[in-house]
Every structure is written in C-alpha cells, then in structure tokens.
Amino acid sequence: GIQVEQSPPDLILQEGANSTLRCNFSDSVNNLQWFHQNPWGQLINLFYIPSGTKQNGRLSATTVATERYSLLYISSSQTTDSGVYFCAAPRSLTGGGADGLTFGKGTHLIIQP
Amino acid sequence: EPEVTQTPSHQVTQMGQEVILRCVPISNHLYFYWYRQILGQKVEFLVSFYNNEISEKSEIFDDQFSVERPDGSNFTLKIRSTKLEDSAMYFCASKSLMDSPLHFGNGTRLTVT
C-alpha cells in the first residue's frame, strides 16, 4: 500500500511565525487531504488537494503528485493553530472508490504566545 | 454545514463486554468508514462500507468487529468482546463521491477497563 511520511515530527514556534509542513508519499496519488487535529481530538478538514495549490485564509497547500509530495503552509501562526497536522492519501492505487485513506504520523505543532 | 455525528462521545466498558458505537453520516453521502486512533498514535483505517456491504477492511478489523447500516441514516461499529487494547478514539467518516473529501465525526473515546 501507499506509504505516507510527514516532517518534521515536532515543531515549536512563536506566535506570528510562518511554517511549512511536508508530506511525502510513496506513489502518485489522485487524492490527498490535510487535517488538523485540535487538542480536543477533533479531526478538522483543511484541504482536499490531489494537485495544485489552494488557499484558505492563513493556510495554503500545494501538492505535486508527480513528485510525490504535498506542503502545508501556515502564515502568521496563532496559538489556536496548535495541534497535530495529518496528511492522508489513498491506501492503495488499485483500491476501488471506497478505499480508505492512510495517514501519516503527523506533525505536532506548538505555537507559543 | 452538514456534519458527521457520533454518539456517545465517551464510553467506558469492562473487558469482555460488547459495545456499539453509533454514527450518523452526512445525509447524501454514499461511502462510510470507521477509523481508530490509539492515544498518541496515528489514525488507522478499520473498514469501508458502500452499497450496503463492506468494501475494504484492514487487518485490525477481525472477527470481533462488525459494522451495520440498520436504516437510511445510522452506521454502527460493534465490538463483540472488548479487550484492553481496544481502548482508543474511534472515528466515523463519510464521503459523497469516489473522488471527494472524507469528512470525519468528532469521535467516540472508548476506554476498556
């Protein structure tokens, strides 16, 4: 199946800083999602981004499927950005439409005031 | 915005007992999933469900687990005889189309004592 690796595993920043989180995957995929898990454990959808670039406020994401990576950018970080950021890709290339996602281990982001 | 809802938010049970975790996926969605997350670890795929049957299941989803869509709105995960290692956060998810984002519920935290 597809392997998903995220870096860095941990990141501590001061409020106002910018950050880039990386997601590498082992094969070209047609589906890539970024999630934010907040301190209460909720998984919040950030981006569905099989390719290209999307922006949503202070967050943006870019996926280059042919080069097997995706980047999540967070600008002007706030303490509420703290949590774990996961990327997820299809479990396999040969799976059908119902195939689930495989998650990376996440980047644990702490934004200090 | 429509949400995936899960009940209960917390469940404590004794080893060997049966538990049923409940989910109401987003109403026009066709694909349904269960995931689990052991504390501090990554989110793991358990099972996918489409067209009233299991589509894919992971090696975690053994004979102790079963899923059901008893009516047009609910989607349940049953663990027949719980073990200590079943303690985890269980997430339900759904999506509308084959190539569309996966939406997660807020999870049920299961504690087996």
Side-chain angles (χ1 to χ4, degrees):
Chain A
I2 302 287
Q3 305 298 313
V4 177
E5 292 187 0
Q6 294 186 243
S7 59
D10 301 281
L11 188 57
I12 301 174
L13 297 172
Q14 293 297 120
E15 205 166 20
N18 301 330
S19 58
T20 301
L21 281 56
R22 187 176 181 100
C23 174
N24 291 330
F25 34 93
S26 57
D27 213 327
S28 295
V29 297
N30 62 358
N31 178 0
L32 194 289
Q33 283 189 253
W34 283 97
F35 298 91
H36 174 216
Q37 187 166 43
N38 64 21
W40 295 270
Q42 297 170 327
L43 280 170
I44 312 298
N45 246 325
L46 295 178
F47 294 101
Y48 173 76
I49 186 164
S51 64
T53 297
K54 290 186 178 179
Q55 179 145 14
N56 184 2
R58 294 182 296 103
L59 273 61
S60 64
T62 295
T63 296
V64 184
T66 51
E67 296 187 22
R68 305 176 189 176
Y69 74 88
S70 183
L71 302 173
L72 178 69
Y73 306 96
I74 305 173
S75 65
S76 304
S77 301
Q78 299 175 359
T79 55
T80 51
D81 294 331
S82 296
V84 184
Y85 289 80
F86 290 104
C87 71
R91 293 175 65 236
S92 72
L93 292 181
T94 55
D99 198 15
L101 297 177
T102 188
F103 280 70
K105 292 184 178 180
T107 292
H108 187 196
L109 178 64
I110 297 174
I111 305 297
Q112 296 178 331
Chain B
E1 184 176 327
E3 292 181 340
V4 176
T5 56
Q6 291 186 242
T7 54
S9 56
H10 293 87
Q11 173 116 28
V12 180
T13 190
Q14 288 190 324
M15 199 166 51
Q17 295 297 303
E18 173 183 287
V19 294
I20 297 176
L21 309 183
R22 303 181 189 279
C23 170
V24 179
I26 295 173
S27 64
N28 64 342
H29 283 191
L30 302 176
Y31 300 86
F32 313 111
Y33 303 81
W34 284 101
Y35 287 77
R36 81 170 186 191
Q37 185 182 31
I38 294 170
L39 188 64
Q41 298 186 22
K42 68 177 185 178
V43 181
E44 300 174 291
F45 169 79
L46 291 178
V47 66
S48 61
F49 193 89
Y50 171 71
N51 203 24
N52 287 319
E53 61 183 18
I54 290 175
S55 296
E56 306 271 351
K57 57 184 181 179
S58 72
E59 58 278 4
I60 302 169
F61 193 88
D62 61 22
D63 292 344
Q64 292 298 312
F65 292 88
S66 62
V67 290
E68 198 175 44
R69 187 156 163 83
D71 53 42
S73 60
N74 291 285
F75 182 50
T76 62
L77 174 70
K78 182 194 291 186
I79 309 175
R80 266 181 263 286
S81 178
T82 49
K83 298 176 276 202
L84 295 176
E85 53 265 38
D86 293 328
S87 295
M89 180 79 96
Y90 288 82
F91 291 102
C92 174
S94 69
K95 66 179 183 180
S96 56
L97 302 170
M98 192 167 68
D99 294 324
S100 63
L102 202 53
H103 296 264
F104 282 79
N106 287 339
T108 293
R109 185 168 297 284
L110 176 67
T111 302
V112 182
T113 62

